[in-house]
Amino acid sequence: MSRPRGAALPVTLPITLAELVRIAPLAAGEVLHLADPARPVEQVVVAETIDRLRRSSPHSLVVLHADAAAGGWSLAAALHLAWERNASAVVVARSVAGPSSAALAQRLNMTLVVIDEQPVEVALQLAGQVSAPDAARALRQALFAERLAEESSTRAVLSALNGELAPVPVALVVGDAVLAGRAAALTEGADAEQVEVDVKAPGERPWARLVAAVPARVPGAAQHVEALLRLARPALLASLAQARLNSAQRATHEQAAFGLLRQLAVESPSTDRVGTAVEAPAWTSDLGWHVDGFNRAVWLAPARPVAAPPEQLTELVRAAWLRARPTWPLVAEDDGWISWCSTSDAEDVSLLRGTLAGFRETAAAHGLVVGVGRPERGVPGLMRSVAEARLAAHVARDSGPGAVQWFDQVGPGAALAWLPTAEIAQVADLCLQDLMAAKDRSTLVDTVLAVLDCGGSLSQASQRLGVHRNTVLTRVARARQLGLDFEDPGQRLALHVLCHALASLSDDPGRSGDGPG
């Protein structure tokens, strides 16, 4: 097929040093100094004499041979002359190179590669690669694809990418977080061009992005980098599938093991509250679990109640939690996830505080709340702490995503977290129709709730709400007119529960504690 008249011919960019040193024959050599990986190579010169080197053109790759590389002094002279001729690199046999040559190459900032093969044979191969750069690039991509096929983890794939594209940084990014690779890939600047390739999970669902910061001054570099990033996608998807399989196996194993612990605590009643009569099974140490000390359970749960968290959320939570504490368990249970911290000192919460502080931002991003139980000894104690942590997590839901609530600060008030607030609030639509129709309903409900919580004290309620006492009095009077009259002792408890349910469903968040005591 003939080319249309006026159509531009495709431009073939010269091969660079970074590309040449990653494929044979230079890949088998040793780079003593790499001055500029992005430096183009336009021709190969076999220099048998110093005089031939003097006639070389700029951007040449010089292969020293015969008299030009006869000894240390000749090599030093050749490096100086190559620098003067603006050569791209010098290649020399290992027998004539030494530590002084490497030091001189660094001082001159001249790329120097030593080889073990015959210089003439190497020069012939290099000449073919320089004359057909696209074929050399295709060979490099094929070799890199073979290397990627041997990698089985996400970090190994990113390590291979960064090694192949050095000094170009590459990162695997999920959202705004770097999952693996070099964070420098996200740095924007006038001298760097960002190249991005989407990595989709099975079913074409978005999963992550491969991002590389490519030097803007190198023509065609972005296109070549993008091609290698695309090559890495199948390996990344394979590593993702393997990681999910491993995670699922571990999760199933831990869930079954925790079920056995719970059964052990039920079938072996302890003689006292600290539960010292139940000995932890030997297999807990095989899992890396510690249960013999004082255990503080942590319950992670969605801020909005769900029957069961989706599988994708479980994977994200597990990955984030295990990044913070890889030796702590994470067991899926009903509407959340269980973990715990075991210490020899019941009052030592420094490690747990630090972990929760680092996890709080992640919890908010994933719409989670956190509940923390009290320190309880042994297996039965762990199960008690788990129940406390779950109650605390339900209380934390009043404060929204990212909230952390310690059971030490909740006590019997945790019972309110188990009220079916949605169903109770529906009762208000039937028995308090005038109130529910009022535009200032939320303000009136909050005011009456504050008064009831303060035992009927208008002064304490005004301090809690941050308004004048007369304002509280006016709002209470209006609430009574609309049917919210709590003077009748027989109705007071029911109205208190109704107000609590209505307030918990409003947009005004409450507070949660940051720690015990």
Side-chain angles (χ1 to χ4, degrees), residues 265 268-270 273-276 278 376-385:
S268 304
S270 57
R273 186 177 182 277
V274 295
T276 55
V278 179
E376 307 281 2
R377 184 187 290 277
V379 176
L382 172 61
M383 298 308 158
R384 265 192 303 273
S385 188

Side-chain angles (χ1 to χ4, degrees), residues 21 25 53 79-80 96 133 165 217 229 232 271 275 307 321 349 383 420 460-461 474 513 516:
V21 298
L53 182 54
L79 285 173
H80 276 283
V96 297
L165 292 174
R217 61 185 175 83
L229 296 184
T271 57
W321 185 255
V349 294
M383 298 308 158
Q460 292 181 20
T474 301

Side-chain angles (χ1 to χ4, degrees), residues 194-206:
Q194 281 194 342
V195 175
E196 293 189 8
V197 170
D198 290 332
V199 182
K200 295 183 179 180
E204 295 300 307
R205 291 183 291 104

Side-chain angles (χ1 to χ4, degrees), residues 53-272:
L53 182 54
R54 289 193 180 96
R55 291 182 282 111
S56 63
S57 302
H59 305 299
S60 296
L61 188 149
V62 177
V63 180
L64 297 181
H65 178 49
D67 294 341
W73 285 106
S74 297
L75 178 56
L79 285 173
H80 276 283
L81 192 54
W83 175 77
E84 293 175 0
R85 300 300 300 169
N86 194 21
S88 295
V90 173
V91 178
V92 67
R94 188 180 297 276
S95 58
V96 297
S100 60
S101 302
L104 179 58
Q106 293 177 4
R107 192 160 58 248
L108 294 174
N109 200 26
M110 171 59 62
T111 297
L112 178 61
V113 184
V114 297
I115 56 174
D116 297 307
E117 301 178 35
Q118 290 295 326
V120 175
E121 295 179 3
V122 170
L124 289 174
Q125 294 181 63
L126 290 173
Q129 293 167 355
V130 171
S131 63
D134 287 343
R137 292 186 179 106
L139 174 61
R140 179 188 175 189
Q141 292 178 11
L143 294 174
F144 183 57
E146 290 182 3
R147 180 183 174 188
L148 286 175
E150 299 175 356
E151 307 297 351
S152 59
S153 70
T154 300
R155 294 189 181 278
V157 172
L158 266 295
S159 177
L161 272 172
N162 277 291
E164 182 70 19
L165 292 174
V168 173
V170 184
L172 181 66
V173 182
V174 177
D176 295 326
V178 176
L179 186 62
R182 298 173 56 192
L186 302 183
T187 303
E188 297 183 2
D191 58 343
E193 174 185 357
Q194 281 194 342
V195 175
E196 293 189 8
V197 170
D198 290 332
V199 182
K200 295 183 179 180
E204 295 300 307
R205 291 183 291 104
W207 173 50
R209 295 173 293 133
L210 278 171
V211 182
V214 183
R217 61 185 175 83
V218 182
Q223 181 179 358
H224 178 62
V225 168
E226 182 179 353
L228 291 184
L229 296 184
R230 292 184 182 278
L231 275 179
R233 290 192 296 187
L236 284 173
L237 290 177
S239 69
L240 171 62
Q242 185 62 47
R244 284 182 171 176
L245 178 60
N246 294 341
S247 178
Q249 290 175 339
R250 177 176 176 179
T252 302
H253 190 185
E254 289 187 337
Q255 197 165 6
F258 190 79
L260 290 177
L261 277 184
R262 175 175 280 141
Q263 184 177 356
L264 178 64
V266 172
E267 295 177 351
S268 304
S270 57
T271 57
D272 56 17

Side-chain angles (χ1 to χ4, degrees), residues 246-420:
N246 294 341
S247 178
Q249 290 175 339
R250 177 176 176 179
T252 302
H253 190 185
E254 289 187 337
Q255 197 165 6
F258 190 79
L260 290 177
L261 277 184
R262 175 175 280 141
Q263 184 177 356
L264 178 64
V266 172
E267 295 177 351
S268 304
S270 57
T271 57
D272 56 17
R273 186 177 182 277
V274 295
T276 55
V278 179
E279 184 177 352
W283 49 260
T284 55
S285 59
D286 296 336
L287 288 171
W289 292 4
H290 302 283
V291 294
D292 288 329
F294 288 96
N295 305 298
R296 272 192 186 268
V298 178
W299 190 287
L300 313 175
R304 292 182 177 274
V306 294
E311 180 183 348
Q312 294 82 354
L313 181 58
T314 295
E315 292 176 1
L316 290 173
V317 172
R318 175 176 291 275
W321 185 255
L322 295 183
R323 274 200 301 270
R325 290 295 166 196
T327 60
W328 290 13
L330 189 72
V331 181
E333 174 99 353
D334 296 335
D335 61 342
W337 305 268
I338 303 168
S339 188
W340 66 86
C341 173
S342 184
T343 61
S344 57
D345 183 1
E347 303 301 321
D348 183 9
V349 294
S350 56
L351 181 60
L352 183 55
R353 279 182 181 274
T355 300
L356 295 179
F359 186 74
R360 202 162 191 169
E361 185 176 345
T362 301
H366 292 320
L368 306 179
V369 294
V370 182
V372 184
R374 291 179 295 187
E376 307 281 2
R377 184 187 290 277
V379 176
L382 172 61
M383 298 308 158
R384 265 192 303 273
S385 188
V386 166
E388 294 169 355
R390 188 179 188 188
L391 281 171
H394 279 253
V395 174
R397 281 175 170 158
D398 291 338
S399 302
V404 178
Q405 181 67 63
W406 297 63
F407 187 81
D408 306 67
Q409 298 175 335
V410 178
L416 297 176
W418 289 97
L419 291 176

